[in-house]
Amino acid sequence: DQQVKQNSPSLSVQEGRISILNCDYTNSMFDYFLWYKKYPAEGPTFLISISSIKDKNEDGRFTVFLNKSAKHLSLHIVPSQPGDSAVYFCAASVKGRSGGSQGNLIFGKGTKLSVKP
Amino acid sequence: NAGVTQTPKFRVLKTGQSMTLLCAQDMNHEYMYWYRQDPGMGLRLIHYSVGEGTTAKGEVPDGYNVSRLKKQNFLLGLESAAPSQTSVYFCASSYSLVRIGTQYFGPGTRLTVL
């Protein structure tokens, strides 16, 4: 069973508009969420993260929103640029007994974003 | 500062052959990870290490072994390769386990098992 779900395999957006990528999760023990961006033939690169004690985190054009009651998070990119075209992975980590992570990131299947000029 | 490097970039094996994938990081990170990514799937954790000389199983450890003899290196071994192990393998490292920190990924190794 998938604990982290990205139900949209692809998304196409016009340059300058907002891109919204969605992610749902089922495990209530997840306490930290991350978004990674991946270009073809490269490894994923970290984009932005959010702790479960927050509902929003912003970094430049990227904002992540967390709705714990709905077990849903979203990544907003405003404004979208052609260079943002990539696969975006949502990932979550489980809180360990010591308060830190258990060391296991659970990834969604990814959403391929295409930003058209 | 090379970050995370992986050797080799590509490899084709026959069923039953063995091989070792090498991951190296120059960021002095304590934590290192091996993931595999299959088509249409997210990354799944195979094994990870929280420090030199330590290893732990991840989500899909069967058929793989790992070793962390030096802090900067994390080796992934396939003793008897199977077609189901055809995948892209990513290594990652991070400074901290607390709140995961940021995992830095290598460029990947594309492995095909015939």
Side-chain angles (χ1 to χ4, degrees), chain B residues 9-45:
Chain B
K9 288 186 168 53
F10 303 94
R11 186 72 186 268
V12 178
L13 288 179
K14 293 181 179 178
T15 297
Q17 286 184 318
S18 63
M19 78 162 295
T20 300
L21 282 67
L22 171 64
C23 176
Q25 53 95 3
D26 61 2
M27 296 173 283
N28 202 33
H29 285 170
E30 288 291 337
Y31 309 100
M32 298 188 73
Y33 315 82
W34 275 107
Y35 292 89
R36 61 178 287 174
Q37 185 190 15
D38 301 305
M41 299 285 289
L43 283 76
R44 291 182 294 169
L45 184 66

Side-chain angles (χ1 to χ4, degrees), chain A residues 31-32 34 36 38 41-46 51 89 93 95 99-110, chain B residues 33 35 37 40-45 48 57-59 90 97-108 110:
Chain A
D31 75 328
Y32 200 66
L34 308 92
Y36 282 83
K38 185 182 180 303
E42 294 183 10
T45 55
F46 170 74
S51 166
F89 290 100
S93 75
K95 186 175 181 179
S101 167
Q102 286 187 351
N104 193 1
L105 274 183
I106 308 296
F107 282 82
K109 292 184 177 182
Chain B
Y33 315 82
Y35 292 89
Q37 185 190 15
M41 299 285 289
L43 283 76
R44 291 182 294 169
L45 184 66
Y48 65 102
K57 292 181 180 179
E59 185 184 353
F90 290 101
L97 194 61
V98 175
R99 290 293 178 256
I100 274 289
T102 300
Q103 290 192 14
Y104 294 84
F105 284 81
R110 185 174 293 276

Side-chain angles (χ1 to χ4, degrees), chain B residues 27-75:
Chain B
M27 296 173 283
N28 202 33
H29 285 170
E30 288 291 337
Y31 309 100
M32 298 188 73
Y33 315 82
W34 275 107
Y35 292 89
R36 61 178 287 174
Q37 185 190 15
D38 301 305
M41 299 285 289
L43 283 76
R44 291 182 294 169
L45 184 66
I46 304 171
H47 287 280
Y48 65 102
S49 169
V50 300
E52 183 178 321
T54 73
T55 62
K57 292 181 180 179
E59 185 184 353
V60 288
D62 295 340
Y64 305 95
N65 57 75
V66 288
S67 64
R68 183 99 180 269
L69 298 179
K70 293 183 179 180
K71 185 177 183 179
Q72 63 267 34
N73 295 335
F74 195 27
L75 278 63

